Amino acid sequence: MPLIAFDSLPDDARVWVFGSSRALAPDERTRLLEEVDRYLGAWKAHGAPLTVGRQLLHDRFLVIGVDQSTAGASGCSIDGLYRTLQHLEAALRTVLLAGGRVFWRDGERIATGDRAAFTQHAAAGAVSADTRVFDLTVTTAEAFRATFERPARATWHAQLLPPQRGADAFVEQ
Protein backbone atom coordinates (compact mmCIF):
# COMPACT_ATOMS: atom_id res chain seq x y z
CA MET A 1 0.00 0.00 0.00
CA PRO A 2 1.40 3.41 -0.81
CA LEU A 3 2.27 5.79 1.96
CA ILE A 4 -0.10 8.64 2.65
CA ALA A 5 0.67 12.06 4.08
CA PHE A 6 0.90 11.85 7.86
CA ASP A 7 -1.56 14.76 8.14
CA SER A 8 -4.12 12.63 6.26
CA LEU A 9 -4.23 9.99 8.98
CA PRO A 10 -7.41 10.00 11.08
CA ASP A 11 -7.23 11.16 14.68
CA ASP A 12 -7.56 7.59 15.98
CA ALA A 13 -4.58 6.31 13.95
CA ARG A 14 -2.04 4.39 16.06
CA VAL A 15 1.20 6.34 16.39
CA TRP A 16 4.77 5.52 17.38
CA VAL A 17 7.35 8.25 17.98
CA PHE A 18 11.05 7.45 17.86
CA GLY A 19 13.55 10.05 19.05
CA SER A 20 17.09 10.03 17.72
CA SER A 21 19.78 10.57 20.32
CA ARG A 22 21.14 13.35 18.11
CA ALA A 23 19.99 15.51 15.22
CA LEU A 24 20.50 13.74 11.92
CA ALA A 25 22.52 15.27 9.09
CA PRO A 26 20.78 15.75 5.70
CA ASP A 27 22.25 12.57 4.16
CA GLU A 28 21.30 10.59 7.29
CA ARG A 29 17.74 11.90 7.16
CA THR A 30 17.51 10.87 3.52
CA ARG A 31 18.78 7.37 4.28
CA LEU A 32 16.47 6.98 7.27
CA LEU A 33 13.38 8.03 5.34
CA GLU A 34 14.25 5.98 2.24
CA GLU A 35 14.70 2.79 4.25
CA VAL A 36 11.66 3.43 6.45
CA ASP A 37 9.57 4.19 3.36
CA ARG A 38 10.75 0.94 1.77
CA TYR A 39 9.57 -0.99 4.84
CA LEU A 40 6.31 0.93 5.25
CA GLY A 41 5.45 0.60 1.56
CA ALA A 42 5.32 -3.18 2.00
CA TRP A 43 4.09 -3.22 5.62
CA LYS A 44 1.36 -5.80 6.17
CA ALA A 45 -0.33 -7.36 9.15
CA HIS A 46 -1.57 -10.92 8.65
CA GLY A 47 -1.30 -10.40 4.88
CA ALA A 48 -3.36 -7.19 4.86
CA PRO A 49 -1.59 -4.03 3.66
CA LEU A 50 -1.50 -1.20 6.20
CA THR A 51 -2.36 2.41 5.48
CA VAL A 52 0.56 4.33 6.93
CA GLY A 53 2.01 7.80 7.13
CA ARG A 54 5.28 9.07 8.51
CA GLN A 55 7.11 12.30 9.14
CA LEU A 56 10.44 13.44 10.50
CA LEU A 57 10.41 16.46 12.81
CA HIS A 58 13.28 18.61 14.01
CA ASP A 59 15.79 16.31 12.28
CA ARG A 60 15.35 13.74 15.04
CA PHE A 61 11.76 12.59 15.69
CA LEU A 62 10.49 9.84 13.39
CA VAL A 63 6.71 9.59 13.68
CA ILE A 64 4.89 6.63 12.14
CA GLY A 65 1.11 6.27 12.09
CA VAL A 66 -1.21 3.45 11.01
CA ASP A 67 -4.84 3.98 10.06
CA GLN A 68 -6.38 1.00 11.82
CA SER A 69 -9.83 1.38 10.26
CA THR A 70 -9.02 -1.20 7.58
CA ALA A 71 -6.25 -3.22 9.24
CA GLY A 72 -4.24 -2.75 12.41
CA ALA A 73 -0.57 -3.44 12.97
CA SER A 74 0.05 -6.80 14.60
CA GLY A 75 2.80 -7.80 16.99
CA CYS A 76 4.81 -9.49 14.23
CA SER A 77 4.47 -6.52 11.89
CA ILE A 78 5.56 -4.13 14.64
CA ASP A 79 8.54 -6.39 15.38
CA GLY A 80 9.52 -6.04 11.72
CA LEU A 81 9.44 -2.26 12.00
CA TYR A 82 11.63 -2.40 15.09
CA ARG A 83 14.13 -4.67 13.31
CA THR A 84 14.33 -2.14 10.47
CA LEU A 85 14.97 0.65 12.96
CA GLN A 86 17.60 -1.41 14.81
CA HIS A 87 19.47 -1.85 11.54
CA LEU A 88 19.26 1.90 10.90
CA GLU A 89 20.51 2.71 14.41
CA ALA A 90 23.72 0.85 13.70
CA ALA A 91 24.12 2.30 10.20
CA LEU A 92 23.47 5.88 11.34
CA ARG A 93 25.30 5.55 14.68
CA THR A 94 22.36 6.90 16.64
CA VAL A 95 19.82 5.54 19.12
CA LEU A 96 16.16 5.42 18.11
CA LEU A 97 14.70 2.65 20.25
CA ALA A 98 16.08 3.05 23.76
CA GLY A 99 13.42 3.93 26.29
CA GLY A 100 13.73 6.20 29.28
CA ARG A 101 15.08 9.18 27.38
CA VAL A 102 13.65 12.66 27.80
CA PHE A 103 13.74 15.34 25.10
CA TRP A 104 13.39 19.04 25.87
CA ARG A 105 14.13 22.43 24.36
CA ASP A 106 17.24 24.18 25.56
CA GLY A 107 16.81 27.46 23.73
CA GLU A 108 16.69 26.60 20.03
CA ARG A 109 18.49 23.30 20.61
CA ILE A 110 16.77 20.03 21.50
CA ALA A 111 18.48 18.36 24.43
CA THR A 112 18.15 14.74 25.47
CA GLY A 113 19.12 12.67 28.47
CA ASP A 114 17.76 10.09 30.81
CA ARG A 115 15.22 10.98 33.49
CA ALA A 116 17.95 11.50 36.10
CA ALA A 117 19.71 14.03 33.84
CA PHE A 118 16.45 15.91 33.28
CA THR A 119 15.84 15.98 37.04
CA GLN A 120 19.39 17.25 37.64
CA HIS A 121 18.88 20.02 35.08
CA ALA A 122 15.64 20.95 36.84
CA ALA A 123 17.31 21.02 40.26
CA ALA A 124 20.00 23.32 38.82
CA GLY A 125 17.34 25.64 37.39
CA ALA A 126 18.20 24.88 33.74
CA VAL A 127 14.82 23.19 33.25
CA SER A 128 11.53 24.48 34.64
CA ALA A 129 7.80 23.83 34.45
CA ASP A 130 7.76 26.16 31.43
CA THR A 131 10.43 24.24 29.52
CA ARG A 132 9.03 22.77 26.31
CA VAL A 133 9.27 18.98 26.31
CA PHE A 134 8.47 16.29 23.76
CA ASP A 135 6.16 13.46 24.77
CA LEU A 136 7.17 10.32 22.92
CA THR A 137 4.52 8.32 24.78
CA VAL A 138 1.60 9.60 22.67
CA THR A 139 -0.20 6.72 20.94
CA THR A 140 -2.74 8.35 18.61
CA ALA A 141 -2.48 10.90 15.82
CA GLU A 142 -4.86 13.15 17.73
CA ALA A 143 -2.69 13.08 20.87
CA PHE A 144 0.43 13.61 18.79
CA ARG A 145 -1.05 16.65 17.06
CA ALA A 146 -2.32 18.17 20.29
CA THR A 147 0.27 17.27 22.90
CA PHE A 148 3.61 16.18 21.42
CA GLU A 149 5.38 19.42 22.40
CA ARG A 150 4.15 21.24 25.49
CA PRO A 151 5.42 22.85 28.67
CA ALA A 152 6.73 20.29 31.16
CA ARG A 153 4.03 21.31 33.66
CA ALA A 154 1.38 19.91 31.30
CA THR A 155 2.96 16.48 30.81
CA TRP A 156 4.19 13.47 32.72
CA HIS A 157 7.58 15.27 32.79
CA ALA A 158 6.22 17.41 35.66
CA GLN A 159 6.86 14.50 38.04
CA LEU A 160 10.59 14.92 37.34
CA LEU A 161 10.60 18.57 38.43
CA PRO A 162 11.30 19.75 41.98
CA PRO A 163 8.14 20.30 44.03
CA GLN A 164 6.56 23.72 43.44
CA ARG A 165 5.13 25.84 46.22
CA GLY A 166 2.33 28.35 45.94
CA ALA A 167 0.03 29.22 43.05
CA ASP A 168 2.22 27.59 40.38
CA ALA A 169 1.98 24.14 42.01
CA PHE A 170 -0.56 22.68 39.62
CA VAL A 171 -0.28 20.44 36.58
CA GLU A 172 -2.42 21.23 33.53
CA GLN A 173 -4.51 18.41 32.15
Side-chain angles (χ1 to χ4, degrees):
M1 170 143 287
L3 294 173
I4 64 171
F6 185 86
D7 292 340
S8 299
L9 290 169
D11 283 346
D12 63 349
R14 173 70 169 97
V15 167
W16 294 265
V17 183
F18 305 97
S20 174
S21 56
R22 61 177 178 77
L24 300 173
D27 60 320
E28 294 171 322
R29 294 191 302 266
T30 298
R31 181 169 183 187
L32 172 73
L33 293 176
E34 284 175 352
E35 292 197 31
V36 166
D37 286 354
R38 190 172 12 265
Y39 179 81
L40 296 179
W43 201 10
K44 295 180 180 180
H46 303 293
L50 299 175
T51 302
V52 297
R54 60 90 179 137
Q55 64 180 334
L56 184 66
L57 296 175
H58 309 301
D59 301 331
R60 71 184 322 152
F61 298 111
L62 175 64
V63 187
I64 296 174
V66 175
D67 178 354
Q68 299 191 110
S69 64
T70 55
S74 66
C76 292
S77 68
I78 295 167
D79 288 347
L81 172 63
Y82 275 73
R83 281 190 300 277
T84 297
L85 294 177
Q86 283 176 327
H87 166 76
L88 284 165
E89 280 183 323
L92 299 174
R93 294 185 315 269
T94 190
V95 177
L96 294 165
L97 300 174
R101 290 179 298 140
V102 179
F103 295 84
W104 68 93
R105 287 205 182 269
D106 181 7
E108 291 300 311
R109 180 179 86 86
I110 296 174
T112 186
D114 61 17
R115 291 174 183 219
F118 185 81
T119 300
Q120 289 170 348
H121 279 77
V127 170
S128 73
D130 295 323
T131 298
R132 306 284 296 177
V133 296
F134 299 90
D135 187 357
L136 278 62
T137 67
V138 295
T139 59
T140 66
E142 179 178 37
F144 174 79
R145 292 172 183 133
T147 66
F148 177 59
E149 182 180 355
R150 294 189 297 168
R153 80 173 77 244
T155 71
W156 65 265
H157 300 78
Q159 67 187 329
L160 303 176
L161 299 171
Q164 297 286 314
R165 303 217 190 298
D168 293 335
F170 71 94
V171 174
E172 293 176 15
Q173 296 295 329

